[in-house]
Amino acid sequence: MDTFARFEQAIRDALLDTTLITADLIDLVAPKATGVQADLALPCFRAAKMRASNPAQFAQTLANALKFSHESLVLKATALGAYVNFSLNPITFAQSVLNDIGQGKAAYGRSNRGQQQAVVVDYSSPNIAKRMRVDHMRSTMIGQAIVNIYRSLGYQVIRMNHWGDYDPQLGISLAAMQHFQHRNGNGESMLASLEQQAQQYQADDQVHDLAQAWASKLASGEPQAISLLQQLVDLSLNANQANYRRLGVAFDVQHCESFYAREAQVVIKEALHYQIAQLDSHVAIVKDLLDEQGKALPTLLLNRSDGSTLYITRDIAAIKYREALYQPSKIIYVVKQAQELHFRQAFTISKTLGYTKADLAHVACGMILGPEGRANPHPRFSTTIYLEPLLDEACARAKTLLKQKAIEAKTAFTSEWLNEVAEQVGVGAVIYHNLQHDPAHDVVVDWDRMLAFDGNSAAYIQYMHARCCSILRDFGRLPQNYNGRELTYPAEQALLKELARLPQVVVDAAERYAPSVVADWLYATAKAFAIFYDACPVLKAETLALRAARGQLVAATAQALRNGLGLLSIAAPERM
């Protein structure tokens, strides 16, 4: 149990000890009144009504009856109107937070609340034989952060990449692959070579019929087509690994859509058998379906007239497969916002057919937008900007800024350090800029904001972490014995309160499927540390006892920032 949880529990225990209120009437909230110096509040309306009492009078009676020891995390309880407000004890609070972080270290913020529960997260999902575009980046980054967050809560997370191999152009790619027999380059350059070959080959007038023939061979399971497709899959998997490594992304399972094709035929048969769908000219049609909120869903098809399956049928088959294999408590899809209706339909049919007991969630991703009025006048450029060049540009810009800062500060540096930290700052900037926004919101690429060393950016947070590390290097060995009761200054307490929030922040981020909650906490904590740094000398503190306590506070801040950045797959450089 973390410090804030213990604070809340101490309040609940004290309230119950008064015998004036029962557990079901204790609803602790953030203080409502403006200017109230308190950390939690209890509205007394319901409890007063049960006793046929005036809420304000009951609040005063309750506050008078409460008792807390000097060692309690609760300093005092005061009545204001119909509320009882509770304040943290700054002396015991500081020691408690530092103990939590000192004992937890890299595990601070983690818990086991999801123990023995499986969660499937489906994210990234690029297309076979295509380079990753920046529109894949939102799903990839949000999905990986959700994975990290759920793992930190003790869930068994299955990371799944659902590759698209039903692209209409796939027949052309197969034909081109057989025709050219070789690819140039490696990584994304190899995929670029394959795309170029397909474009060149497509110019041939006879290619359309040939591509259709390959597509038919693939649909019928012809061995040569399947073999060529597997080569394309392997090429695509290998080519994209470099991007995934840079972004701190990894998967447990990677399946193509075609993996679910056979099970999708079973879905169609069962939908017809249970009269969820009706057959009309060889096509299974679903009509008059209501989602979980009772809203009518549009009519949809489960197959084409030739009997082949559709995207939605294969997604339903995937849900069925994942339920049978993992028995997850949740299946989370991190996919662009335009697929909202698709997933409502897929989820409803899956539940109606009894394919899963899991909570099914679609985390809708917004678009990547270009800077208006700059090099590309069209704000929506996600179809033409590829991920690898974007990361390369971010790192090149970060390298220039880091080099300039080091020269201005007359700080010696090596090329190895510069390259390593530029990669961490550049990639971190791209990740954080995507994750600091609500997943559903569009994101505008703004290099100045992304790489700013002040303001809400990864570079600013990383810089505050590096500043902590610099202080600790100058400090030397931290004393094992210290007294957290020394930390009573407002700036110290404000920073401690931010540090204490991390465990609940992780829970909130998981419940909302929103890595932006962690990003907000990181920025708030970095700002609180900057204020502390300006107001409270560490190395030149007034007393040795205060110096030791502030040194521990700096170490705790570094650890907490490192843990928070790790949840977003962002590196925490020790020197910047």
Side-chain angles (χ1 to χ4, degrees):
M1 190 181 292
D2 62 83
T3 295
F4 273 141
R6 290 195 296 274
F7 172 57
E8 183 173 330
Q9 189 60 52
I11 295 170
R12 290 181 182 277
D13 290 344
L15 286 167
L16 292 175
D17 286 344
T18 67
T19 70
L20 296 173
I21 188 170
T22 55
D24 60 309
L25 297 176
I26 299 175
D27 183 21
L28 297 171
V29 298
K32 301 283 186 183
T34 305
V36 172
Q37 299 298 312
D39 299 286
L40 279 177
L42 173 70
C44 295
F45 301 101
R46 289 196 302 142
K49 185 177 180 180
M50 292 292 290
R51 289 177 166 267
S53 175
N54 176 277
Q57 290 176 348
F58 179 80
Q60 188 63 63
T61 301
L62 189 58
N64 292 340
L66 287 164
K67 292 181 174 59
F68 301 101
S69 72
H70 291 300
E71 295 302 314
S72 173
L73 281 167
V74 188
L75 177 64
K76 61 182 179 180
T78 55
L80 180 64
Y83 291 82
V84 179
N85 295 306
F86 300 91
S87 300
L88 279 159
N89 183 341
I91 294 174
T92 54
F93 173 66
Q95 191 69 52
S96 179
V97 175
L98 294 180
N99 285 345
D100 284 350
I101 300 174
Q103 291 168 11
K105 295 184 170 58
Y108 178 64
R110 295 174 176 266
S111 74
N112 60 0
R113 65 185 287 135
Q115 199 169 19
Q116 298 182 332
Q117 293 185 63
V119 171
V120 173
V121 184
D122 181 317
Y123 60 112
S124 193
S125 305
N127 290 321
I128 293 299
K130 299 286 182 66
R131 285 171 287 175
M132 284 184 70
R133 302 188 304 268
V134 291
D135 53 336
H136 295 118
M137 182 168 60
R138 292 230 72 197
S139 168
T140 304
M141 287 294 85
I142 294 167
Q144 186 62 47
I146 288 173
V147 165
N148 299 341
I149 288 164
Y150 271 85
R151 280 189 163 178
S152 76
L153 295 175
Y155 290 90
Q156 177 199 352
V157 182
I158 299 95
R159 304 166 294 182
M160 301 199 79
N161 198 357
H162 188 82
W163 288 79
D165 63 346
Y166 273 81
D167 190 296
Q169 298 296 308
L170 198 57
I172 293 173
S173 295
L174 290 173
M177 190 168 181
Q178 187 199 41
H179 178 78
F180 287 100
Q181 297 292 319
H182 71 280
R183 261 69 46 204
N184 299 317
N186 52 58
E188 276 206 350
S189 62
M190 178 175 60
L191 289 180
S193 171
L194 184 60
E195 288 176 20
Q196 186 178 26
Q197 289 173 357
Q199 289 171 358
Q200 290 173 353
Y201 199 49
Q202 195 171 8
D204 190 321
D205 292 338
Q206 298 179 354
V207 162
H208 178 75
D209 292 339
L210 188 58
Q212 285 291 101
W214 276 107
S216 298
K217 289 178 182 180
L218 191 61
S220 63
E222 199 273 336
Q224 186 183 12
I226 296 298
S227 175
L228 275 177
L229 174 62
Q230 189 57 52
Q231 290 180 49
L232 272 180
V233 169
D234 292 341
L235 284 173
S236 302
L237 289 173
N238 292 331
N240 281 296
Q241 283 312 302
N243 281 333
Y244 285 141
R245 277 194 299 271
R246 292 179 79 179
L247 295 170
V249 173
F251 298 97
D252 301 302
V253 181
Q254 302 198 65
H255 285 154
C256 293
E257 272 189 83
S258 56
F259 178 83
Y260 305 102
R262 184 172 297 177
E263 191 64 39
Q265 293 292 349
V266 176
V267 169
I268 295 169
K269 290 178 182 177
E270 291 183 341
L272 290 168
H273 175 75
Y274 291 107
Q275 299 183 351
I276 293 169
Q278 290 80 43
L279 200 61
D280 185 351
S281 302
H282 307 292
V283 176
I285 303 175
V286 179
K287 299 178 180 178
D288 304 323
L289 197 64
L290 301 178
D291 66 13
E292 288 185 332
Q293 285 74 44
K295 295 180 180 178
L297 293 168
T299 297
L300 67 132
L301 310 181
L302 295 181
N303 64 301
R304 295 188 177 89
S305 57
D306 63 3
S308 59
T309 61
L310 295 172
Y311 177 40
I312 191 165
T313 330
R314 296 187 290 272
D315 264 347
I316 296 167
I319 291 171
K320 184 181 181 184
Y321 170 84
R322 292 163 183 179
E323 172 69 32
L325 190 60
Y326 303 114
Q327 296 85 52
S329 60
K330 291 178 183 288
I331 303 177
I332 303 168
Y333 287 83
V334 187
V335 185
K336 61 187 177 181
Q337 201 166 26
Q339 297 294 324
E340 188 268 339
L341 175 59
H342 166 86
F343 282 109
R344 280 175 58 209
Q345 293 173 321
F347 292 170
T348 301
I349 294 173
S350 298
K351 289 288 188 180
T352 305
L353 287 170
Y355 285 163
T356 184
K357 297 177 181 177
D359 292 334
L360 302 175
H362 171 215
V363 180
C365 302
M367 294 285 292
I368 301 284
L369 306 180
E372 294 183 14
R374 299 200 181 176
N376 192 336
H378 249 330
R380 293 182 181 269
F381 62 74
S382 60
T383 55
T384 57
I385 300 298
Y386 296 101
L387 180 55
E388 187 176 68
L390 184 75
L391 294 177
D392 289 343
E393 182 172 357
C395 294
R397 287 172 177 264
K399 187 174 182 178
T400 299
L401 287 171
L402 288 165
K403 186 175 182 180
Q404 179 183 338
K405 282 187 170 294
I407 292 171
E408 289 173 354
K410 299 181 180 179
T411 303
F413 61 90
T414 64
S415 58
E416 291 80 11
W417 170 85
L418 185 60
N419 290 334
E420 179 183 358
V421 177
E423 177 76 11
Q424 292 173 335
V425 172
V427 173
V430 173
I431 295 173
Y432 186 84
H433 192 64
N434 273 273
L435 297 183
Q436 72 182 114
H437 304 279
D438 182 275
H441 291 174
D442 293 339
V443 173
V444 177
V445 174
D446 184 332
W447 290 114
D448 292 337
R449 286 187 59 193
M450 287 168 67
L451 290 164
F453 278 75
D454 54 358
N456 193 1
S457 68
Y460 174 70
I461 297 162
Q462 289 171 318
Y463 181 66
M464 287 301 139
H465 174 266
R467 177 168 278 180
C468 289
C469 294
S470 175
I471 294 170
L472 294 173
R473 284 193 297 271
D474 292 339
F475 195 102
R477 187 179 180 84
L478 287 173
Q480 293 298 312
N481 297 319
Y482 67 95
N483 189 352
R485 296 168 183 264
E486 296 281 338
L487 303 174
T488 58
Y489 282 81
E492 294 165 338
Q493 288 288 307
L495 176 56
L496 284 160
K497 286 180 181 180
E498 291 299 341
L499 298 179
R501 287 200 307 119
L502 179 58
Q504 186 58 45
V505 162
V506 179
V507 173
D508 291 345
E511 290 179 349
R512 293 169 52 185
Y513 308 114
S516 57
V517 174
V518 176
D520 290 343
W521 173 84
L522 281 164
Y523 181 47
T525 303
K527 286 195 299 181
F529 176 75
I531 293 169
F532 159 78
Y533 178 82
D534 289 338
C536 303
V538 177
L539 301 176
K540 296 181 180 180
E542 293 90 329
T543 66
L544 289 177
L546 184 58
R547 185 179 190 270
R550 285 179 177 170
Q552 291 289 344
L553 179 54
V554 172
T557 303
Q559 183 68 69
L561 287 175
R562 201 154 49 241
N563 294 359
L565 286 167
L567 290 171
L568 305 186
S569 297
I570 297 174
E574 294 187 2
R575 299 174 186 267
M576 281 180 67

